[in-house]
Amino acid sequence: MSFNSIPILDLSLARNSDTKASFLKSLRSALLEIGFLYITNTGIDDELIEQVTAQGKAFFDLPENKKLEVQMKNAASFLGYNKLGNEITALKTDWREQIDLSTPHPLPKPSDPLYYNLLSPNQWPDPDYLPTFRPIFESYIRQMSTLSITFTSLIAEALRLPLTAFDRFFDSDQQHKLKIIKYPDLSSLSTDQQSQQGVGPHKDSMLTSYLLQASHHRGLQAQNLSGDWIDCPPIPGTLVVAIGQGLEALTHGVCASTTHRVLSPAAGEGPRFSIPFFQGVSYDATFETVDVPVEIIKMRDEIQRKRGVERMDDVEFTFRKGRWGHLGEATLTNRVKSHPDVGERWYPDILTKVRKEQESARGEEGGRDERAGETAHEEQGMDNVGPLSATEVITV
């Protein structure tokens, strides 16, 4: 059986010695079977959550010229503001506008690897317009950084690993990232923009991410192993945790990385707001793994045996050893793929390579579709079904 709902875990149970074992058991089940969960009692100040939500929404009310002052393509770091329709997922446009922030870092030295450009100062909106925006989000990023490291140690415990099992993958000044996102409803988009793709099907790339759903709108969905989309509605006082491809790779596939997407709000519902926090991993990391205990591997295998269905997934697993020397190289290329306007200005060679690979992939996909059509036509003729063409059969 595949999951049809998202579990809710109370993080306060992990802080109590009498209930911690039960919490770790529930966490282990969520990791091995789902890869997507809610957490409550996170320890993040309620007042700070309210301030983050209010300031995040206020950013999008700034005059257009003030938002463009911190536009992402102004810098090589992929930090800053993206206009509506300026990001691509699964080769399609995402209908959202957003600003990307991270833990603070100085500009890299000329001798540093190219991917160190990702470690740079933030572009902050004008304090004359939003005087408390920067201190509020710096505080939130600090608290979320602590939460993410604590939760990763709980994941290690749930897998019967040492608390510090993942520490070697973090820098001493580890970068974590955050997005503030506005998804306009369909009535505010022009006719040619009216796609339901707020953000397309994808897996998060690092270890864990933590989503604050900052408005009442539905739209977030996780894909179960049968290929069905399961709603993850906003629940007050929670964060949604998604397991990333990095954690799946490091744990030999024990921790499931789950495909998810966001649908644009329906016409008349108003914009949806969300604030995801992404736990980082050292860009210098190589593609190593941790030694997951044999009994945990057996648990995973038994779950897969009982499930009895092949995994259906709209997103290919891309965190693979062999293609890249360091995680930073893969991350930089993926950023260029998602933000071609930044690539054109700062990384034209990488963008050219990405576009060639995408064109080649489209050609291969077209060839597969053509061969599938020929096969359908041949099977139809053999079965004497009737006069429909292969194209018509596929369309139906």
Side-chain angles (χ1 to χ4, degrees), residues 104 156 220 257 286 395:
L220 176 64
S257 175
T286 55
T395 301

Side-chain angles (χ1 to χ4, degrees), residues 78-80 99-103 122-125 133 137-138 141 175-180:
F78 295 90
L79 299 173
I99 182 170
D100 285 49
L101 305 171
S102 84
T103 46
N122 285 303
Q123 298 191 73
W124 294 105
F133 183 95
F137 275 97
E138 286 183 330
I141 289 172
Q175 184 194 54
H176 307 289
K177 292 191 65 179
L178 174 146
K179 291 177 182 281
I180 310 167

Side-chain angles (χ1 to χ4, degrees), residues 218-268:
R218 290 174 177 262
L220 176 64
Q221 296 181 323
Q223 189 176 41
N224 68 19
L225 300 187
S226 298
D228 300 321
W229 291 101
I230 308 302
D231 282 332
C232 308
I235 300 177
T238 68
L239 297 171
V240 178
V241 180
I243 301 305
Q245 293 195 65
L247 191 57
E248 182 169 345
L250 293 179
T251 60
H252 306 272
V254 166
C255 295
S257 175
T258 299
T259 296
H260 50 287
R261 68 181 182 184
V262 175
L263 303 180
S264 297

Side-chain angles (χ1 to χ4, degrees), residues 13 46 48 103 115 124 145 148 171 180 250 269 277 294 301 306 367 370 373 384 386:
L13 300 179
D46 290 341
L48 180 58
T103 46
Y115 57 79
W124 294 105
S145 298
S148 70
D171 294 326
I180 310 167
L250 293 179
E269 289 189 354
F277 174 92
V294 173
D301 294 343
K306 287 182 177 179
E370 183 178 345
N384 195 26

Side-chain angles (χ1 to χ4, degrees), residues 64-220:
E64 185 72 7
N65 67 305
K66 302 307 294 185
K67 289 187 286 187
L68 293 179
E69 284 180 356
V70 294
Q71 195 168 5
M72 184 178 283
K73 68 179 182 181
N74 293 347
S77 61
F78 295 90
L79 299 173
Y81 170 67
N82 254 329
K83 296 190 295 183
L84 182 69
N86 248 37
E87 187 171 7
I88 296 170
T89 302
L91 301 178
K92 294 182 180 179
T93 299
D94 294 329
W95 293 113
R96 61 180 184 173
E97 59 176 315
Q98 64 190 32
I99 182 170
D100 285 49
L101 305 171
S102 84
T103 46
H105 286 81
L107 287 169
K109 301 186 294 292
S111 58
D112 287 333
L114 187 62
Y115 57 79
Y116 272 34
N117 284 343
L118 300 170
L119 302 169
S120 296
N122 285 303
Q123 298 191 73
W124 294 105
D126 190 336
D128 290 338
Y129 284 76
L130 292 175
T132 62
F133 183 95
R134 178 173 181 172
I136 284 172
F137 275 97
E138 286 183 330
S139 177
Y140 185 68
I141 289 172
R142 282 195 300 271
Q143 290 198 28
M144 287 302 303
S145 298
T146 300
L147 171 62
S148 70
I149 297 298
T150 299
F151 195 77
T152 304
S153 70
L154 290 171
I155 290 174
E157 283 192 274
L159 300 179
R160 298 174 186 167
L161 293 165
L163 280 171
T164 58
F166 299 108
D167 287 3
R168 59 193 168 106
F169 301 107
F170 301 124
D171 294 326
S172 58
D173 59 346
Q174 180 58 52
Q175 184 194 54
H176 307 289
K177 292 191 65 179
L178 174 146
K179 291 177 182 281
I180 310 167
I181 307 171
K182 176 183 178 181
Y183 299 92
D185 76 19
L186 292 176
S187 64
S188 62
L189 299 175
S190 62
T191 303
D192 61 338
Q193 293 175 338
Q194 289 195 1
S195 161
Q196 277 200 301
Q197 178 163 306
V199 60
H202 66 285
K203 298 174 187 283
D204 293 344
S205 60
M206 299 297 187
L207 296 193
T208 57
S209 57
Y210 305 80
L211 173 64
L212 170 61
Q213 300 195 76
S215 60
H216 67 278
H217 303 79
R218 290 174 177 262
L220 176 64

